[in-house]
Amino acid sequence: MTSEQRRLKRTRLIERVRTVEQRESALAAAQAEVQRARLDAVSAKTRSLAAHYASLSNATDAQSLRRSGAMSSHLRDLSHMAERHARDARDQSEASMAALAQTERRRKRAEEDYREAATCLREKLAKS
């Protein structure tokens, strides 16, 4: 096996590895985006519930007023926590998208290297 053939085989292997990396990165980015969307929805729902309970003013006694206030407070805390989780998921989604872009560039580079090696080998074989 000539050095050009070994180079062609090596570049083909690298191209395959880069393609697998790109697919895995795309899957991770899609999962991160789904998680972000889910957490955004949870955040919006808890915020809505907290606003609803905070606006209730039909308490008939002190105990129902206290329960309503406690529920509103707990929902507000949950809303803040859900917003933090959504923000973290958004950051992770952005990082996944950046990683996807990087792996796509590396895959394209490996594909170009393979084509170049194949062209070089074809030219050398044509000369022989």
Side-chain angles (χ1 to χ4, degrees):
M1 184 179 285
T2 67
S3 64
E4 287 82 14
Q5 289 172 326
R6 282 192 302 273
R7 179 173 179 245
L8 180 65
K9 191 173 182 177
R10 186 178 66 248
T11 57
R12 179 66 177 150
L13 178 63
I14 291 171
E15 180 189 15
R16 287 182 188 160
V17 168
R18 297 293 186 232
T19 300
V20 170
E21 284 178 348
Q22 188 269 339
R23 287 180 184 157
E24 289 174 351
S25 186
L27 178 63
Q31 289 172 341
E33 188 61 25
V34 167
Q35 181 73 1
R36 182 206 56 80
R38 188 178 309 127
L39 288 172
D40 279 343
V42 167
S43 176
K45 184 68 174 174
T46 55
R47 197 172 34 252
S48 168
L49 285 171
H52 171 72
Y53 275 95
S55 69
L56 290 180
S57 60
N58 58 356
T60 57
D61 58 8
Q63 187 177 7
S64 63
L65 181 62
R66 189 171 35 250
R67 275 195 306 247
S68 177
M71 184 66 150
S72 176
S73 174
H74 289 304
L75 283 170
R76 194 172 35 255
D77 292 343
L78 283 174
S79 176
H80 291 308
M81 186 177 7
E83 286 175 13
R84 279 195 307 272
H85 288 302
R87 189 173 42 249
D88 292 344
R90 203 171 7 263
D91 293 344
Q92 183 179 5
S93 176
E94 289 171 2
S96 294
M97 293 304 281
L100 175 60
Q102 182 181 18
T103 57
E104 179 61 21
R105 285 191 301 269
R106 289 179 15 206
R107 186 198 62 79
K108 283 184 180 180
R109 175 59 193 218
E111 185 179 336
E112 290 168 4
D113 289 348
Y114 175 72
R115 284 187 195 147
E116 181 182 310
T119 303
C120 184
L121 182 60
R122 272 194 295 269
E123 288 173 357
K124 184 173 183 177
L125 291 175
K127 289 179 183 177
S128 296

